[in-house]
C-alpha cells in the first residue's frame, strides 16, 4: 500500500451550536492509491481526497465491477476530528483508550445516518432530492459508506451571481424541505456544505449528511420534554 499523506489544514468547522471554529485539522487522509476492501470481492482504490467535515473525510475512489468495468464513487470515512485519532501504516485508524468509547459512539451515529439516507433515497417523492448512498462496510477500524458519484459542488463553494439566482435556489431548497416535512421528517442541519448543487440547473439540488435527521413526532416529544424541564427549573 502507498504511504500515508499527512494533512495539516486550518479548517473551518461548524459544530451543532452553529458557531464556526478555526483550528488545525491534523487528521491523516488515505493516500492516492490506498486500497479499502469491502469483504473479499470489492476493493476501492483512493483517487484523491475531495472534502472533510467534523466527523468524516470524503474521497473520490474507483472500483471494478464483476465485468471488469471501472466505476467512480465517493467513499466517506468515519473519522471525527476531535478525538485525537491517528492513522497506522496499514491505513487503520488508531484511537487512545480514553477516546475509544466516544469513537464507538461516532461510528454508531455514522451507521444510523447511513440507514436514514438509504430510507429516504427509497422513498417516492424524495429519490431525486437525496444523495445516493449504496453501501456501508467496516474496514480500517471504522465505517465507510459508498456514495454514487455526481458532478457538482456544495453550496459553500458557490457564489450566486445575482439576487434572481439566489431566489431560484432558495425556492428549490424550500420545496425540498417541504417534501421532507410532508414525509414526516426534519433535517435539522441545513447549511451550505450539506446542499449539493447540480451544475446543469439552479432549480434542483440534493441534500446530504443525515446525522441530524429526525422524525417530526420524535422532535416534538423532545421539545415537550425540554419545556417540562424548563418549567421545573422555575
Amino acid at each position: 500500500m502507498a504511504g500515508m499523506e499527512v494533512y495539516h489544514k486550518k479548517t473551518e468547522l461548524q459544530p451543532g451550536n452553529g458557531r464556526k471554529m478555526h483550528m488545525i485539522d491534523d487528521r491523516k487522509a488515505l493516500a492516492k492509491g490506498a486500497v479499502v476492501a469491502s469483504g473479499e470481492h470489492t476493493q476501492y482504490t483512493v483517487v484523491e481526497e475531495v472534502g472533510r467535515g467534523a466527523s468524516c473525510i470524503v474521497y473520490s475512489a474507483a472500483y471494478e465491477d464483476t465485468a471488469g468495468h471501472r466505476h467512480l464513487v465517493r467513499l466517506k470515512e468515519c473519522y471525527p476530528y476531535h478525538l485525537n485519532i491517528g492513522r497506522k501504516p496499514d491505513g487503520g485508524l488508531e484511537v487512545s483508550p480514553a477516546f475509544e468509547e466516544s469513537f464507538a459512539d461516532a461510528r454508531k451515529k455514522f451507521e444510523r445516518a447511513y440507514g436514514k439516507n438509504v430510507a429516504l433515497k427509497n422513498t417516492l417523492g424524495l429519490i431525486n432530492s437525496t444523495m445516493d448512498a449504496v453501501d456501508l462496510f467496516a474496514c480500517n477500524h471504522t465505517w465507510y459508506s459508498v456514495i454514487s458519484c455526481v458532478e457538482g459542488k456544495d453550496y459553500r463553494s458557490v457564489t450566486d451571481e445575482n439576487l434572481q439566482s439566489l431566489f431560484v435556489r432558495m425556492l428549490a431548497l424550500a420545496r425540498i424541505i417541504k417534501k421532507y416535512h410532508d414525509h414526516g421528517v426534519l433535517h435539522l442541519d441545513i447549511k451550505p456544505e450539506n446542499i449539493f448543487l447540480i451544475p446543469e440547473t439552479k432549480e434542483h439540488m440534493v441534500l446530504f449528511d443525515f446525522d441530524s435527521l429526525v422524525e417530526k413526532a420524535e422532535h416534538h416529544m423532545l421539545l415537550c420534554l425540554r419545556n417540562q424541564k424548563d418549567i421545573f427549573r422555575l
Side-chain angles (χ1 to χ4, degrees):
M1 179 181 295
M4 301 300 154
E5 295 178 355
V6 181
Y7 293 82
H8 296 279
K9 299 180 178 180
K10 186 175 182 181
T11 303
E12 186 178 83
L13 298 170
Q14 186 166 337
N17 59 17
R19 297 177 181 176
K20 293 181 178 179
M21 303 182 298
H22 296 274
M23 60 186 64
I24 298 298
D25 182 353
D26 60 357
R27 287 174 292 182
K28 300 176 183 178
L30 289 168
K32 179 179 180 179
V35 174
V36 183
S38 171
E40 298 180 357
H41 304 292
T42 305
Q43 294 186 332
Y44 298 93
T45 301
V46 172
V47 177
E48 62 179 344
E49 178 188 342
V50 295
R52 57 176 66 192
S55 63
C56 65
I57 295 181
V58 182
Y59 307 93
S60 176
Y63 75 96
E64 286 190 357
D65 62 22
T66 54
H69 298 292
R70 184 173 182 266
H71 296 262
L72 286 177
V73 295
R74 296 288 188 248
L75 194 63
K76 184 177 180 181
E77 178 182 50
C78 179
Y79 190 170
Y81 79 94
H82 60 287
L83 300 181
N84 195 28
I85 299 172
R87 175 92 64 185
K88 296 187 292 186
D90 65 357
L93 297 185
E94 188 172 40
V95 61
S96 66
F99 292 105
E100 183 61 56
E101 184 175 349
S102 297
F103 187 33
D105 290 340
R107 296 196 301 270
K108 290 177 183 177
K109 186 176 181 181
F110 187 91
E111 183 180 10
R112 289 195 300 269
Y114 170 81
K116 293 175 182 178
N117 190 164
V118 171
L120 288 174
K121 186 63 180 177
N122 286 279
T123 300
L124 290 177
L126 299 178
I127 292 175
N128 293 339
S129 304
T130 305
M131 196 61 71
D132 189 16
V134 298
D135 197 11
L136 177 77
F137 64 93
C139 187
N140 292 336
H141 190 48
T142 190
W143 281 111
Y144 291 87
S145 63
V146 182
I147 303 167
S148 296
C149 190
V150 179
E151 287 188 309
K153 297 180 179 179
D154 68 53
Y155 207 166
R156 176 178 48 181
S157 58
V158 174
T159 301
D160 287 296
E161 59 269 22
N162 51 49
L163 279 176
Q164 181 180 4
S165 173
L166 175 64
F167 289 151
V168 169
R169 285 197 168 119
M170 290 302 98
L171 180 59
L173 177 60
R175 286 170 174 164
I176 292 175
I177 293 173
K178 183 179 184 302
K179 286 183 182 180
Y180 277 65
H181 290 181
D182 290 345
H183 285 81
V185 294
L186 302 174
H187 194 310
L188 301 181
D189 197 17
I190 298 292
K191 56 188 179 184
E193 50 264 52
N194 287 342
I195 301 170
F196 193 80
L197 303 181
I198 309 300
E200 289 79 9
T201 178
K202 292 183 173 67
E203 297 180 359
H204 182 66
M205 55 185 61
V206 178
L207 297 184
F208 59 97
D209 199 346
F210 298 97
D211 290 349
S212 300
L213 195 77
V214 298
E215 295 184 3
K216 285 198 290 187
E218 177 187 355
H219 185 62
H220 178 71
M221 181 179 68
L222 291 174
L223 288 177
C224 290
L225 291 174
R226 184 181 302 171
N227 290 336
Q228 288 179 357
K229 291 180 180 179
D230 290 340
I231 291 173
F232 288 131
R233 290 196 187 102
L234 296 177

